[in-house]
Amino acid sequence: MSGFRTLFYKEVLRFWKVAFQTVAAPIVTALMYLMIFGHALQNHVNVYPGVLYTSFLIPGLVMMSVLQNAFANSSSSLIQSKVTGNLVFVLLTPLSHWEMFSAYVLAAIVRGLSVGFGVFIVTIWFVPITFASPFFIIAFGALGAAILGTMGLIAGIWAQKFDQLATFQNFLIMPLTFLSGVFYSTHSLPPAWRAISQLNPFFYMIDGFRYGFFGVGDVDPWLSLLIVGGFLIIVAALAVALLKRGYKLRY
């Protein structure tokens, strides 16, 4: 496992050496979202009984930051290694595909959760927030980061240049994240759009995570946990299969 530890350490060090850009900048962005949306919609949007809109917004922003930064870590690492040509030094090592998968995804989880925790610490100064079920907070935070880290790995394997990676992020990850209920409850949507929203796996990550804070959500948290866990198994199986095959990695 020394190869796994080395690659994992390298991936964590990679983003931590530029923490101002990879950790601090997303925290500032989330804070701006909170200030703008919270100020503009605080007295105009009703979500759950007894829950202020600003309080409702904080778990969504935390989880959105976790997801986006977990994806960014693994995807950017792999595409940079491809473009600069140093990926060959990873492929030459006797690392198994499981070790490569674990190192990249765990590093993505570390970055995603680090940014999410930073966003939470900064934003809770604005409004009080409760912890109805810490288990769901931890479970959905970790699973969400793992899923997006795995999807970032898949995107990095598939993409050959930064433009292709940007397409994956702008036309898949970003829409799924913003339409997952970060800024609204799906109960406020018409029935047709509510049904469409429930086809989005990101919705279950956000809703389950928010349930951990308020004890109320749009769907049952155990159902959300089942769907999120199943989705992780699917994307992880795909990523491992691509690594084992060496798809677009070996020339």
Side-chain angles (χ1 to χ4, degrees), residues 63 133 136-137 140-141 202-213 216-221 224-225 228:
M63 193 60 169
S133 180
F136 287 115
I137 296 174
F140 283 102
F202 288 27
F203 158 73
Y204 298 96
M205 303 178 206
I206 300 287
D207 191 66
F209 186 74
R210 184 176 279 130
Y211 182 93
F213 288 93
V216 60
D218 293 343
V219 297
D220 183 85
S224 295
L225 194 63
V228 171

Side-chain angles (χ1 to χ4, degrees), residues 109-142:
I109 293 173
V110 172
R111 175 174 169 183
L113 294 181
S114 297
V115 174
F117 183 72
V119 171
F120 179 74
I121 293 298
V122 170
T123 54
I124 58 172
W125 291 97
F126 289 85
V127 289
I129 198 164
T130 58
F131 299 92
S133 180
F135 167 76
F136 287 115
I137 296 174
I138 297 171
F140 283 102

Side-chain angles (χ1 to χ4, degrees), residues 12-60:
V12 172
L13 189 64
R14 172 186 162 272
F15 80 80
W16 197 253
K17 293 281 283 186
V18 287
F20 189 79
Q21 175 187 346
T22 57
V23 178
I27 293 174
V28 173
T29 301
L31 183 60
M32 292 176 64
Y33 275 124
L34 179 68
M35 295 176 65
I36 294 170
F37 281 90
H39 176 73
L41 301 176
Q42 175 68 50
N43 298 320
H44 302 282
V45 178
N46 294 319
V47 280
Y48 303 141
V51 177
L52 296 173
Y53 178 71
T54 306
S55 300
F56 170 87
L57 197 57
I58 288 176

Side-chain angles (χ1 to χ4, degrees), residues 181-218:
V182 172
F183 301 102
Y184 58 86
S185 169
T186 57
H187 284 318
S188 63
L189 300 176
W193 285 107
R194 190 184 310 159
I196 293 173
S197 295
Q198 293 181 355
L199 298 176
N200 178 3
F202 288 27
F203 158 73
Y204 298 96
M205 303 178 206
I206 300 287
D207 191 66
F209 186 74
R210 184 176 279 130
Y211 182 93
F213 288 93
F214 305 119
V216 60
D218 293 343

Side-chain angles (χ1 to χ4, degrees), residues 9 19 38 44 46 67 74 101 113 124 128 147 152 156-158 170 172-173 189 218 225 229 239:
Y9 175 75
H44 302 282
N46 294 319
L67 301 181
S74 52
F101 170 81
L113 294 181
I124 58 172
I147 288 172
I157 292 171
W158 169 79
N170 293 333
L172 181 64
I173 302 301
L189 300 176
D218 293 343
L225 194 63

